[in-house]
Amino acid sequence: EGAPPTVLVLDRLQQRAAVLAVDARSGKTRVLHEERDEAWVNLFPGGLRWVDGGAAFLWATERDGDWALELHNAKDGATKTILPAGAGPRAVVHVDDAKRNVYFVGGPEPTEGELYRVSLDGGAPVSVLKAPGGGLVNARFGKGAPAFVAHVAPRTGPARTVVVSMEGKELAVVPSVAETPPMEPQVELTRAGKDDLRVAIVRPRSFTKGRKYPVIDSAYGGPHSVRVEAPATGYLKAQWLADAADAVVVVIDAKGTPRRGRAFERAIGKRFGEVPVEGHVEALKALGERYPELDLARVGVVGWSYGGFFSAYALLARPDVYKVAVAGAPPVDWRDYDTAYTERYLGLPDGDAGAKVYDESSPLRFLTGQTPVPEHRKLLVVHGTADDNVFFSNSLRLIDALDRAGYPYRFMPLMGQTHMVTDPALIEAESRQTVEFFRQHL
């Protein structure tokens, strides 16, 4: 109330963001604030909010290397930092104008997260709600309500949805109709490599000390996604895969993933394949030295979407490390993917320099016929024929290149399925094929 109509715009390269005030009658705009980044500008969830009756607005910036929250005076442009870099905010979920409090979720440790509040006048953030054992908390607020709804996922045990007062006192539990999982994943969180990469290790429940196990890298690897988090409930599928394949499953967040600062995330810029794959390889080698049960002569990789791209790229780029891969819905040429997403990280494909970036970020680069086909390296490609996100033609291009290079593979098209496979029979079939492929070749 009292704030002018406002829009947030980005240039095509997403290196400049501008907050514009709009005159509702004339349509004319004026710039309230500009943010620039030589790589790309990340947009912070809930980071642009009007406060003080429209006299100022809240803004989130990575200008100092990590997310900070600022208060901008709309009239004279004066800026005040209310939450300096280091607190690890991930989203602003509520602003209490009357009490001048900003509520945000996050925290300095990327695998955990709680709900905090900080004053619009600045000062140290105050913890409002945290999960037992250092899990994850998210929250939703209504307008003017004296309470909020929080989803609390502890490190172990089931997640809960609760109604909580503004001071953090639990008022009620929202009943859940979700089926209780048949098992509690056995997860070990650790760090590996010179960059202290966060890693989750999931061993089969029949794990026998002193025995060597094959390793399955359950990968995503792309920007704006964190896979390693504290709550054990996030590893149910990893536990099933470990049990079914009789293997140790590892999950790794290498450079290019968020929550570790601007430089850590921006490292993936124009290097979609190389940076995440080399980060995973470094972590695997470090883990192999620390955990004797990990047989690094038998390493497989599995992923979907960007993770499918990662799997295909990793197998072809580092056959000395990865022996088997299952690539689900892989974007294999980023010229064929969503423009806003791809150009943010790889730039424009124009000219020789742009074309080189795109070519080097494709697994097809290893299938030119000039590179000898490694012996005993196996690839399973899975894709929904009606995929409206990563088009089915990506996998067709991949298997065409595999055929031309004489590279052995299996292909599993999922008839009528989009990027999110929803047919229970096909989900079961794909899962079974994945496990059998690993058991056969690892």
Side-chain angles (χ1 to χ4, degrees), residues 191-198 253-255 260 264 267 275 278-279 282:
R191 303 183 185 187
K194 65 180 186 299
D195 293 312
D196 266 348
L197 302 180
R198 271 49 173 188
D253 281 337
K255 280 186 174 180
R260 295 286 306 275
F264 190 91
V275 165
E278 293 307 312
E282 177 190 330

Side-chain angles (χ1 to χ4, degrees), residues 316 363-364 366-371 373 377 379 381 394-411:
L316 297 170
L364 301 178
F366 303 105
L367 296 169
T368 63
Q370 300 173 359
T371 304
V373 176
R377 301 300 183 264
L379 175 61
V381 182
N394 278 272
S395 283
L396 295 181
R397 289 193 64 184
L398 176 58
I399 63 174
D400 176 69
L402 291 166
D403 282 333
R404 294 176 186 278
Y407 200 104
Y409 70 91
R410 284 181 58 188
F411 184 40

Side-chain angles (χ1 to χ4, degrees), residues 10-66:
L10 289 166
D11 67 337
R12 179 168 177 177
L13 291 177
Q14 301 177 59
Q15 295 172 336
R16 176 192 170 202
V19 180
L20 305 179
V22 183
D23 186 302
R25 292 185 178 180
S26 68
K28 291 183 178 181
T29 64
R30 61 185 177 93
V31 178
L32 297 175
H33 177 65
E34 281 193 15
E35 191 81 17
R36 294 177 181 267
D37 193 297
E38 62 183 11
W40 67 82
V41 176
N42 275 325
L43 299 182
F44 189 85
L48 174 59
R49 296 193 183 219
W50 285 95
V51 298
D52 293 340
F57 61 89
L58 191 67
W59 179 253
T61 177
E62 289 182 284
R63 199 179 308 114
D64 295 328
D66 203 353

